[in-house]
Amino acid sequence: MTPHILPLASTSFTPESLRQFASDGYLIVRELASPDLCARIRDRTQHDLAEAISPLEYEVNVGYPGAPVSLEAEGGRTVRRLLGAVDRDEAMREWASSPAVVSRMTQLLGSRPVLSRAHHNCVMTKHPNYGSQTNWHRDIRYWSFERPELISLWLALGPERAENGGLLVLPGTHRLEIERDRYDGAKFLRPDIAKNRALIATQRAVELEAGDALFFHSRLFHAAGRNASTKVKFSLVFTYRATDNLPIPGSRSAALPEIFL
Ligand SMILES: O=C(O)CCC(=O)C(=O)O
């Protein structure tokens, strides 16, 4: 991806930041969302979780390590994701289409961004007791676009650390080619392979506070542990593509109308 560099402005990445994204596959911008906007998004999240407002996905549905075994089991109704974020709430939509986001996405993608409703478009919730662990993966593994180059935006709505299930990343792995036999059947990195263990040893924890935003490439390997704190962690996540990087017709990536920003 060749970033198109815009004139410098407060809503833009510097050339140095763009070089860092090209090298590492991710960038953190501190305090990109205001405390007021974060509070509105958090309030809506807490309300929708308390009322179990659809569409949503339970931990049971993903079945990752630590997830309850059935909806009827203890903690079985623990929500993993509040889906359809861009159509769920005005504040979530405001963030997704804000000038601070659109201008930066334009730089990273090299064209105006198109917001996918089919991927992420959710509030990720990680609960202390029944929130699950996510093993090392690339988001692009189940997505279908002409090029595997999308960018996701992760907005922290509270503190995120490895200890409460915050993201871990493997810097630079968006540029790496990986042999097929290094993945398990669900396309997670197999920890029993020495080359994978060496790669995983390069991990960095993404430490965020409410309002901080993480931009990350769809080929970047990332993972997250369980939430060992006493508070639920919320993060709002959207994915964008370049104007000319079309979803493959008939695939899940093309299943929902997109938003041209
Ligand atoms: O919060 C987590 O467990 C990681 C989420 C994630 O990486 C994903 O859904 O792609």
Side-chain angles (χ1 to χ4, degrees):
M1 193 181 315
T2 313
H4 170 70
I5 300 179
L6 293 179
L8 282 180
S10 61
T11 53
S12 299
F13 284 126
T14 62
E16 175 52 28
S17 294
L18 293 173
R19 277 193 291 276
Q20 199 185 328
F21 184 87
S23 164
D24 292 346
Y26 72 98
L27 271 178
I28 296 167
V29 183
R30 303 284 173 202
E31 297 179 10
L32 196 59
S34 70
D36 174 63
L37 186 63
C38 290
R40 285 164 59 208
I41 295 171
R42 240 184 346 253
D43 287 351
R44 181 59 185 255
T45 296
Q46 274 157 345
H47 170 270
D48 287 10
L49 270 181
E51 303 287 321
I53 306 236
S54 295
L56 48 78
E57 181 180 62
Y58 292 104
E59 287 286 359
V60 170
N61 301 131
V62 291
Y64 289 167
V69 289
S70 74
L71 283 175
E72 291 69 41
E74 193 181 310
R77 300 264 159 191
T78 302
V79 170
R80 164 92 179 183
R81 296 186 179 102
L82 292 173
L83 301 170
V86 76
D87 300 301
R88 180 178 285 270
D89 179 56
E90 177 56 36
M92 296 182 194
R93 189 162 42 251
E94 188 179 313
W95 165 247
S97 58
S98 62
V101 167
V102 173
S103 63
R104 287 178 173 81
M105 280 292 173
T106 302
Q107 288 179 287
L108 295 176
L109 291 165
S111 77
R112 294 288 292 186
V114 181
L115 174 62
S116 171
R117 279 192 171 90
H119 299 305
H120 286 317
N121 185 20
C122 69
V123 181
M124 304 257 185
T125 65
K126 189 160 282 197
H127 294 252
N129 293 321
Y130 307 104
S132 62
Q133 168 188 324
T134 308
N135 290 331
W136 292 99
H137 67 284
R138 286 171 159 157
D139 285 341
I140 197 69
R141 69 201 191 289
Y142 297 140
W143 302 355
S144 308
F145 291 84
E146 290 180 358
R147 302 191 305 277
E149 293 183 351
L150 289 87
I151 297 176
S152 295
L153 176 63
W154 181 287
L155 173 66
L157 297 167
E160 302 207 12
R161 300 284 184 277
E163 295 69 32
N164 69 342
L167 281 185
L168 307 166
V169 295
L170 302 182
T173 50
H174 63 304
R175 296 184 276 109
L176 199 67
E177 294 307 326
I178 297 263
E179 301 84 354
R180 291 166 77 102
D181 61 1
R182 290 171 67 180
Y183 292 110
D184 68 16
K187 298 198 183 164
F188 290 104
L189 282 183
R190 287 173 48 189
D192 57 315
I193 292 189
K195 273 208 264 186
N196 285 349
R197 283 201 300 276
L199 192 61
I200 291 167
T202 67
Q203 69 183 261
R204 277 191 221 154
V206 176
E207 302 205 334
L208 305 172
E209 301 297 333
D212 293 349
L214 168 75
F215 292 75
F216 66 106
H217 196 287
S218 55
R219 277 172 55 86
L220 184 76
F221 277 101
H222 58 285
R226 300 191 64 193
N227 184 350
S229 80
T230 53
K231 286 194 176 154
V232 186
K233 180 174 77 61
F234 306 127
S235 329
L236 177 60
V237 192
F238 290 110
T239 295
Y240 302 79
R241 68 166 173 88
T243 315
D244 65 349
N245 187 15
L246 301 176
I248 305 299
S251 70
R252 190 165 70 88
S253 299
L256 295 174
E258 301 168 300
I259 299 176
F260 289 74
L261 294 166

